[in-house]
Amino acid sequence: MKALRLSTEPKRSSIHAATPIKKMHRVWQLYVLIALPLLYIIVFKYIPMYGAQIAFKDFVVSKGIWGSEWVGLKHFDRFVHSYEFGKVMKNTLLLNFYNLIAGFPFPLMLALSLNYVRHRWFKKSVQMVTYAPHFISTVVMVGMMFELLDPRNGLINNILQAFGFDAINFMGNPDYFKSIYVWSGVWQSAGFNCIIFLAALSSIDPSLHEAAVVDGASQRQRVWHIDLPGILPVAIILLILNMGNMLDVGYEKVLLMQNPLNLRTSEVIDTYVYKVGLVSQAMNYSYSAAIGLFKSVIGFLLIITVNQIARKTNQASLW
């Protein structure tokens, strides 16, 4: 019996070793689907990390990455002690915090509202109207804003003048820049972002609502005690991910909305890098790379910090 048992053990181990491959073969379609996104991440996210070392060098194209002189933290020190550092950091953080505070609750409230709509045609119509702006390109979006807010022929100023008010140069006033940027973004993205919360609401057990109705709970009480706790883990995960992008505004929309009049509040890190590191005659690639790496490190530290806070409070976390 012992000999028979010993002879069967290698066969069992070989079967167990082949099990993962067999499992992958059964669902090979799923691996094909994930292959392209994975390839995109490797090519455009991980391979470029090799070039991040030019942030610590005085990069010269003719010498290449390895041939360029190593200067350590020179470019980081230059950015931190630059005249524009305080302004661009302040504008970037204020714009991101404003965007987070104003934009994060709207998809949540829209999802909760749509979840209780009983008329199917009305619900579908609202979804279509709120989702549609997401597919407008940034260039078209900014062009629409310039047309609507034009001080001479814009619709908004025509309405103000009809009520006896003076026309306002919205795009030329630095005090209005952040509000225009944030609320136009809320209008454009709230409908599409609420899809995640609608999916989370659909996963809540209907028996909880049935039991609450039997107990005489109002709709407001059901939202507060069933729906919000049900989607809270998803909301916290999204909040953690958004915190990682606190220094990453994205320069396209900001750059298109910028002009010499609102530059005081519209100059952010991304537009500063674009102008100083790439557009200027110096073409300082190392300086641009250093600022980009600086942003990434700060974002990584923010994600770790917020994730640890979520874990300490027994909430959902990324890890």
Side-chain angles (χ1 to χ4, degrees):
M1 290 296 292
K2 289 183 180 180
L4 181 61
R5 189 176 301 170
L6 290 172
S7 63
T8 56
E9 282 181 359
K11 294 182 179 180
R12 288 179 182 177
S13 61
S14 62
I15 291 173
H16 287 297
T19 300
I21 298 176
K22 289 183 177 180
K23 289 181 179 179
M24 292 175 62
H25 181 70
R26 293 193 193 102
V27 292
W28 64 270
Q29 297 91 339
L30 298 178
Y31 288 96
V32 172
L33 286 174
I34 202 175
L36 281 178
L38 185 61
L39 183 64
Y40 170 82
I41 293 174
I42 293 173
V43 173
F44 293 101
K45 302 297 181 180
Y46 282 95
I47 292 179
M49 288 183 182
Y50 166 79
Q53 60 182 299
I54 68 173
F56 305 95
K57 297 186 174 186
D58 274 333
F59 177 68
V60 180
V61 177
S62 59
K63 295 181 179 180
I65 295 178
W66 288 105
S68 300
E69 181 185 357
W70 184 272
V71 294
L73 301 177
K74 169 187 171 182
H75 301 295
F76 296 92
D77 182 72
R78 174 189 168 188
F79 174 59
V80 172
H81 291 92
S82 65
Y83 175 76
E84 298 287 336
F85 176 77
K87 183 178 74 173
V88 297
M89 284 294 293
K90 176 185 174 182
N91 291 339
T92 303
L93 291 173
L94 286 177
L95 193 60
N96 270 302
F97 274 117
Y98 189 0
N99 193 34
L100 183 65
I101 294 171
F104 191 78
F106 270 85
L108 177 59
M109 292 187 292
L110 181 61
L112 290 172
S113 302
L114 291 174
N115 191 50
Y116 283 91
V117 173
R118 292 292 172 260
H119 298 286
R120 188 177 181 84
W121 65 269
F122 180 75
K123 182 177 182 178
K124 294 296 182 182
S125 300
V126 172
Q127 286 178 323
M128 182 187 69
V129 171
T130 54
Y131 294 171
H134 175 77
F135 300 98
I136 301 175
S137 69
T138 304
V139 176
V140 175
M141 180 67 186
V142 175
M144 291 170 57
M145 288 161 45
F146 272 103
E147 290 296 327
L148 290 171
L149 301 175
D150 186 85
R152 294 183 179 178
N153 302 315
L155 177 63
I156 304 299
N157 275 303
N158 287 339
I159 294 174
L160 290 175
Q161 289 175 339
F163 283 95
F165 297 98
D166 295 330
I168 301 173
N169 186 6
F170 290 98
M171 302 304 292
N173 191 328
D175 296 329
Y176 292 136
F177 177 83
K178 290 184 175 64
S179 295
I180 295 173
Y181 178 91
V182 169
W183 291 109
S184 62
V186 170
W187 172 76
Q188 187 175 17
S189 61
F192 189 82
N193 290 339
C194 84
I195 295 175
I196 300 173
F197 295 112
L198 284 173
L201 287 170
S202 65
S203 65
I204 295 176
D205 190 353
S207 62
L208 297 175
H209 285 280
E210 295 172 0
V213 171
V214 171
D215 290 339
S218 64
Q219 190 176 88
R220 181 181 61 83
Q221 290 172 326
R222 288 160 55 195
V223 169
W224 185 259
H225 295 288
I226 298 176
D227 292 330
L228 286 177
I231 63 176
L232 185 61
V234 175
I236 292 175
I237 294 296
L238 292 176
L239 181 62
I240 294 172
L241 294 175
N242 286 333
M243 289 299 296
N245 295 321
M246 285 307 295
L247 297 182
D248 190 11
V249 180
Y251 77 95
E252 297 93 346
K253 187 176 177 181
V254 177
L255 188 65
L256 290 170
M257 291 176 61
Q258 263 186 7
N259 58 60
L261 297 177
N262 62 23
L263 202 60
R264 176 169 57 85
T265 58
S266 64
E267 189 76 288
V268 295
I269 292 178
D270 293 313
T271 57
Y272 175 74
V273 172
Y274 174 71
K275 294 174 183 177
V276 177
L278 300 176
V279 176
S280 66
Q281 294 181 352
M283 297 293 286
N284 199 330
Y285 300 113
S286 296
Y287 186 56
S288 304
I291 300 175
L293 189 58
F294 171 81
K295 284 171 46 184
S296 300
V297 171
I298 297 299
F300 180 65
L301 293 176
L302 283 173
I303 287 181
I304 294 177
T305 303
V306 178
N307 188 75
Q308 287 298 112
I309 294 173
R311 291 185 62 185
K312 294 291 185 181
T313 55
N314 296 322
Q315 301 294 337
S317 60
L318 288 175
W319 65 85

